[in-house]
Amino acid sequence: SVVNGGTGASSVNANAIVYANTNADGYTSNTNLTVDGNDIVIGSSGKIKYAANEYIHSSASNILTIAAAGTIDLTSPIVDITSSTEFTVTSPSIVFDSSTSGKPVLTLKTSNTAANNATELQFKKDGTTINNEILGKITSYGKNNNSEMTQFTDIQGVLKDRTNGSEGGKLLFKVMTHGSIQNGIIIEDATTDSTLDVTIGYGTSSV
């Protein structure tokens, strides 16, 4: 039997199987559990558990859930994730961090050879909008000479007019000037049909 270290059992029915160097029943295992040439099959409600809130689980048909109470750490020179349809991350913040000079670099790359097939970075709001609402921002930050993290530039995409059939947008290019962020270039929908207004510069001394 499995308990006695034999090979006669093809299945085990139990509420729990403890695999350790020694357990209360006196069962002694090898240091590692090795499955050679076979699958470990876990039923639909089963989990591979490491702690109360840390497990791998098939939570629904065709869905694999990896849960951790704190951090899921993937460490490798290359982490390759292949998704044929969509890669979705639900999180309030995503951080790419590197101590290497000139890094990190975020690259959007396509191997499609068709003409006019550029990659695309989209900012979307999937919900009710209002006029003059900011829909997307690209900002840059750095430390000033007082070691304070400071914003120096800002590009904003704005929904100026949400009226169906007369939608209008606004694009703002902002730059820090003497301690405050100001509009350097404004491109916006005009009151005249099929017209854009452009404002360049800030302040009466702007050249």
Side-chain angles (χ1 to χ4, degrees):
S1 69
V2 173
V3 174
N4 294 322
T7 59
S10 60
S11 64
V12 176
N13 295 319
N15 292 327
I17 298 175
V18 178
Y19 183 86
N21 286 334
T22 183
N23 66 13
D25 296 326
Y27 164 58
T28 302
S29 73
N30 296 320
T31 302
N32 298 313
L33 172 63
T34 301
V35 178
D36 188 6
N38 294 284
D39 297 332
I40 297 177
V41 180
I42 300 176
S44 59
S45 60
K47 300 177 182 179
I48 300 176
K49 298 188 72 171
Y50 302 91
N53 296 314
E54 298 177 357
Y55 53 82
I56 300 174
H57 178 216
S58 179
S59 56
S61 178
N62 299 320
I63 297 178
L64 182 64
T65 299
I66 302 176
T71 300
I72 296 176
D73 191 357
L74 303 177
T75 302
S76 175
I78 299 176
V79 177
D80 190 356
I81 300 174
T82 301
S83 174
S84 62
T85 305
E86 186 174 67
F87 180 64
T88 302
V89 177
T90 302
S91 173
S93 177
I94 299 176
V95 177
F96 296 93
D97 177 68
S98 175
S99 59
T100 303
S101 178
K103 306 293 184 180
V105 174
L106 179 62
T107 303
L108 304 179
K109 182 175 67 174
T110 178
S111 58
N112 193 298
T113 58
N116 299 317
N117 187 47
T119 56
E120 185 174 354
L121 179 63
Q122 296 183 354
F123 297 86
K124 290 184 178 181
K125 179 179 180 181
D126 187 12
T128 303
T129 57
I130 60 175
N131 288 343
N132 296 311
E133 180 175 0
I134 299 172
L135 299 180
K137 298 177 67 173
I138 299 176
T139 58
S140 59
Y141 286 78
K143 289 186 177 180
N144 61 17
N145 63 357
N146 199 36
S147 295
E148 298 168 329
M149 189 58 69
T150 304
Q151 180 180 346
F152 285 90
T153 64
D154 187 351
I155 302 175
Q156 296 183 3
V158 180
L159 186 163
K160 183 177 179 180
D161 187 347
R162 61 191 293 271
T163 304
N164 184 31
S166 300
E167 296 90 345
K170 181 189 295 185
L171 186 60
L172 308 177
F173 293 84
K174 295 172 173 280
V175 177
M176 175 70 78
T177 172
H178 289 76
S180 64
I181 290 283
Q182 301 295 341
N183 292 321
I185 300 176
I186 303 173
I187 306 172
E188 60 183 317
D189 178 37
T191 55
T192 303
D193 187 27
S194 300
T195 303
L196 293 176
D197 289 338
V198 180
T199 304
I200 300 178
Y202 172 78
T204 56
S205 299
S206 176
V207 295

